[in-house]
Amino acid sequence: MKEAVVSKGTKVEIIDSPIPIPNEDQVLIKVVVSGSNPKDWKLPDIRPTVINQGDDIAGIVEKVGANVVEFKPGDRVAAFHQMMTPHGSYAEYAIAWAHTTFHIPHNTSFEDAATLPLAAMTAAVGLYQRLGLPQPWDPLPEGATHHNIPLLIYGGASAVGVFGVQFALRSNIHPIICVAGRAKDYVASFLDASKGDKVIDYRQSDEDLIAELKAAVPEGQHIRHALDAVAEKGSPQITAAAMGQGKATFVLHGEKDIPKEVEQSITMVGSVHQGAKDFGYVYFRYIAKGLAEGWFKGQRYEVVEGGLGGIEEALRSLKEGKASGVKYVFRIADTEGVERG
């Protein structure tokens, strides 16, 4: 099979590899569409290991392990591949653990599904495991302002931000205050302005941004919960300053110079392949339910030409910050040398 591996300097090579074999708790998936993530270019520079970095799988079950009972060959599925392990989604076939695999409803395309696994689960881990917010199946009561939980989502146009907004809406958390830039109108399309939700443009001075964030909540209320999906270039400091105190979780990175009044945590989606397996199992199935019912949607996407051959260009665009409110996805059948099925 064809497989793309990523090395330091955002270099991608397409190689020939054997089709992997799942263990008793895994699923072998024929990849139809793979999604990309910023970590796909970041990690090779941090850990100089040449590996298939793809973790967002959307495709058709080819084979299942002996202990797998939920899935069978022919099922349309999406899955979160275990990061930094072999057999990722940048290939004709990929391996995923059964507990991080979920059915794709008929109303959801492979392209939509490929935008979901890693980022949607990151948002869930951040909001519900790290911040301890009300679960989406047990939302806050309607109409009582004293139940409001102002929530700051920094990086609202990122995949994690977009999915965080959708989860927060399901939990009836308001007001949701998002920080975004070029794609702020896209973010605003998810929000409920009647409940105080709003998007604030980060392209202003830090002082003005902090002041606007503080003013975004009703009088007498304060931001006490924050999900920072950017977690770099000053966003943690702005987040902490806008809060004053409370709980903030930062995706991938911790910050040393955050005031002690802000209880900080790091959101690492890899936890669902470690100590939070049950959390991952439940939330991926809840995501499938949300897709089927229409209250949860994939991120906007752009199909990159050339299949696996387009990965290097796409990762360089991610590295250069060209993507705004959009996910790059790859149709594996578009790869040179791959037979169309």
Side-chain angles (χ1 to χ4, degrees):
M1 70 173 186
K2 298 296 182 184
E3 180 177 26
V5 294
V6 186
S7 57
K8 187 174 182 179
T10 320
K11 296 179 180 178
V12 177
E13 180 185 5
I14 298 177
I15 62 175
D16 290 311
S17 301
I19 295 175
I21 299 172
N23 71 22
E24 58 188 11
D25 297 309
Q26 293 177 332
V27 180
L28 175 66
I29 301 167
K30 182 177 175 60
V31 185
V32 177
V33 180
S34 170
S36 60
N37 292 284
K39 61 147 279 288
D40 299 349
W41 69 261
K42 291 180 179 180
L43 285 182
D45 285 352
I46 298 170
R47 307 176 190 175
T49 301
V50 180
I51 196 170
N52 175 344
Q53 287 284 347
D55 296 319
D56 283 331
I57 306 168
I60 299 169
V61 174
E62 182 78 11
K63 186 177 182 180
V64 301
N67 294 337
V68 177
V69 296
E70 277 187 271
F71 310 102
K72 64 184 185 304
D75 285 349
R76 300 171 75 247
V77 297
F80 173 35
H81 167 261
Q82 186 172 358
M83 296 184 294
M84 297 303 291
T85 66
H87 315 314
S89 65
Y90 291 162
E92 292 183 68
Y93 293 88
I95 292 284
W97 294 94
H99 78 278
T100 56
T101 302
F102 59 99
H103 290 282
I104 301 175
H106 294 299
N107 62 345
T108 302
S109 69
F110 286 117
E111 289 80 6
D112 280 320
T115 71
L116 286 156
L118 185 150
M121 186 55 63
T122 301
V125 170
L127 294 179
Y128 303 113
Q129 274 214 315
R130 300 293 177 259
L131 297 182
L133 292 170
Q135 301 289 350
W137 49 80
D138 188 21
L140 290 169
E142 286 283 355
T145 56
H146 64 276
H147 287 302
N148 281 358
I149 300 179
L151 172 66
L152 168 59
I153 297 181
Y154 203 113
S158 68
V160 173
V162 166
F163 296 130
V165 167
Q166 294 183 72
F167 276 130
L169 289 169
R170 191 67 177 175
S171 292
N172 199 28
I173 292 168
H174 298 283
I176 304 169
I177 303 107
C178 292
V179 176
R182 287 173 291 165
K184 61 182 183 180
D185 290 342
Y186 170 56
V187 179
S189 70
F190 288 93
L191 301 177
D192 187 346
S194 70
K195 295 184 179 180
D197 300 347
K198 66 185 304 183
V199 184
I200 296 175
D201 198 320
Y202 70 84
R203 295 171 295 182
Q204 54 183 304
S205 71
D206 290 355
E207 293 76 13
D208 289 344
L209 175 55
I210 292 166
E212 196 169 349
L213 289 170
K214 289 182 176 180
V217 298
E219 185 176 354
Q221 295 189 340
H222 305 278
I223 299 171
R224 294 289 184 254
H225 297 84
L227 169 64
D228 185 348
V230 177
E232 60 183 4
K233 300 178 181 178
S235 67
Q237 289 72 32
I238 292 169
T239 295
M243 296 175 65
Q245 65 184 63
K247 289 184 177 182
T249 190
F250 304 102
V251 175
L252 287 179
H253 306 290
E255 289 293 328
K256 294 181 179 178
D257 55 345
I258 296 298
K260 63 180 180 180
E261 290 80 12
V262 176
E263 179 186 335
Q264 67 166 303
S265 62
I266 303 174
T267 290
M268 301 287 284
V269 70
S271 63
V272 301
H273 283 126
Q274 298 170 8
K277 291 181 179 181
D278 285 357
F279 182 92
Y281 175 91
V282 169
Y283 263 92
F284 274 128
R285 281 137 192 83
Y286 195 65
I287 287 168
K289 174 181 169 67
L291 293 171
E293 295 177 351
W295 55 263
F296 204 77
K297 302 179 185 299
Q299 190 190 16
R300 290 191 306 191
Y301 62 83
E302 178 182 323
V303 178
V304 180
E305 294 183 1
L308 298 177
I311 291 174
E312 183 169 313
E313 177 188 352
L315 296 189
R316 291 189 183 279
S317 293
L318 283 175
K319 188 174 185 177
E320 294 165 9
K322 293 181 180 179
S324 180
V326 66
K327 182 101 159 184
Y328 294 134
V329 302
F330 315 96
R331 292 177 180 142
I332 305 304
D334 292 344
T335 306
E336 184 177 353
V338 171
E339 292 186 10
R340 290 179 176 269

